[in-house]
């Protein structure tokens, strides 16, 4: 529908809060039914439970569980509030050529528009979903919980360009991050040469 998560929240009805504790068995049954509808009858309920357990374990083990994910630097007030990922139909944004799905590598770096952005080693090996708003803000959501991890205005403008291949996301002008990584000078410097120095 090409709307932002905030627009969806403002314009669609909300479910009532539950008045009684949720029965775990009923919850798993609904999850299994949803997977069967989405992926066909070949999906086994046991696989669904395993996937859900893994996802819940990741959320519980993440830093969000300790209530420290709301720290930020260089916040853009309009886009500062964390939001939930909306369904996006394009595999690649037609204007900015940003893939709908991206991966943070084992070093905590994700490549966006030719830039290797360091977003934090705590988020390594995570899948992201992207969305570009009508006012050209790129938003990136973590696959395991659907919540916004970071965002910045387009085109990417760097406050500082370190000499190395990695760029700490704190150097992106107007960026917001759920829990921004520390600025470490050694991550910005060129990698040392592995050649042995003759004696």
């Amino acid at each position: 529908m090409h709307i932002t998560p905030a627009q969806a929240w403002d314009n669609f009805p909300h479910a009532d809060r539950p008045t009684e504790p949720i029965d775990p068995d009923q919850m798993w049954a609904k999850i299994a039914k949803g997977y069967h509808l989405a992926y066909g009858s070949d999906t086994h309920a046991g696989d669904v439970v395993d996937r859900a357990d893994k996802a819940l374990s990741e959320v519980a083990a993440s830093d969000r569980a300790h209530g420290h994910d709301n720290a930020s630097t260089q916040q853009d007030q309009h886009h500062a509030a964390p939001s939930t990922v909306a369904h996006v139909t394009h595999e690649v944004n037609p204007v900015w050529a940003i893939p709908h799905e991206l991966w943070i590598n084992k070093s905590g770096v994700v490549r966006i528009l030719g830039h290797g952005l360091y977003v934090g080693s705590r988020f390594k090996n995570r899948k992201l979903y992207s969305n570009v708003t009508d006012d050209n803000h790129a938003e990136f959501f973590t696959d395991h919980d659907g919540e916004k991890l970071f965002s910045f205005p387009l085109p990417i403008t760097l406050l500082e360009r370190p000499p190395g291949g990695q760029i700490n996301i704190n150097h992106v002008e107007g960026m917001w991050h759920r829990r921004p990584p520390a600025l470490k000078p050694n991550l910005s410097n060129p990698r040392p040469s592995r050649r042995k120095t003759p004696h």
Side-chain angles (χ1 to χ4, degrees):
M1 296 175 65
H2 306 290
I3 62 175
T4 66
Q7 289 171 328
W9 178 263
D10 292 338
N11 290 285
F12 288 92
H14 305 160
D16 295 331
R17 292 183 178 275
T19 56
E20 298 179 359
I22 298 174
D23 185 343
D25 293 333
Q26 290 181 4
M27 180 179 68
W28 294 129
K30 288 182 179 180
I31 292 173
K33 182 178 179 181
Y35 267 90
H36 282 295
L37 291 174
Y39 300 108
S41 58
D42 292 336
T43 304
H44 298 289
D47 294 337
V48 173
V49 172
D50 289 342
R51 292 179 196 174
D53 279 339
K54 182 180 178 182
L56 290 173
S57 298
E58 286 183 347
V59 173
S62 72
D63 295 306
R64 279 186 54 88
H66 304 289
H68 297 300
D69 267 350
N70 293 324
S72 61
T73 59
Q74 301 177 25
Q75 288 190 1
D76 181 353
Q77 294 300 321
H78 182 65
H79 295 272
S83 53
T84 303
V85 65
H87 178 69
V88 180
T89 56
H90 298 290
E91 290 186 3
V92 176
N93 182 275
V95 177
W96 293 102
I98 299 175
H100 174 49
E101 297 181 2
L102 306 94
W103 281 90
I104 302 172
N105 68 19
K106 63 182 180 181
S107 300
V109 175
V110 59
R111 293 206 63 83
I112 303 170
L113 296 177
H115 297 288
L117 301 180
Y118 176 72
V119 297
S121 58
R122 65 172 60 86
F123 301 108
K124 65 182 180 180
N125 299 323
R126 291 287 174 90
K127 184 177 182 179
L128 297 176
Y129 292 104
S130 70
N131 180 50
V132 178
T133 66
D134 291 339
D135 58 348
N136 291 326
H137 258 76
E139 303 175 320
F140 300 88
F141 303 82
T142 42
D143 174 54
H144 73 278
D145 60 8
E147 294 196 14
K148 185 159 65 174
L149 178 60
F150 60 91
S151 64
F152 48 75
L154 295 169
I156 295 176
T157 303
L158 300 180
L159 299 169
E160 179 183 339
R161 177 131 196 158
Q166 296 182 11
I167 300 170
N168 191 301
I169 195 169
N170 289 287
H171 292 313
V172 176
E173 184 174 349
M175 80 91 194
W176 175 89
H177 193 295
R178 187 193 304 174
R179 190 171 181 188
L183 284 168
K184 297 181 180 179
N186 61 322
L187 289 177
S188 299
N189 295 331
R191 295 181 180 179
S193 174
R194 294 186 177 181
R195 294 180 182 178
K196 294 184 178 180
T197 307
H199 296 289

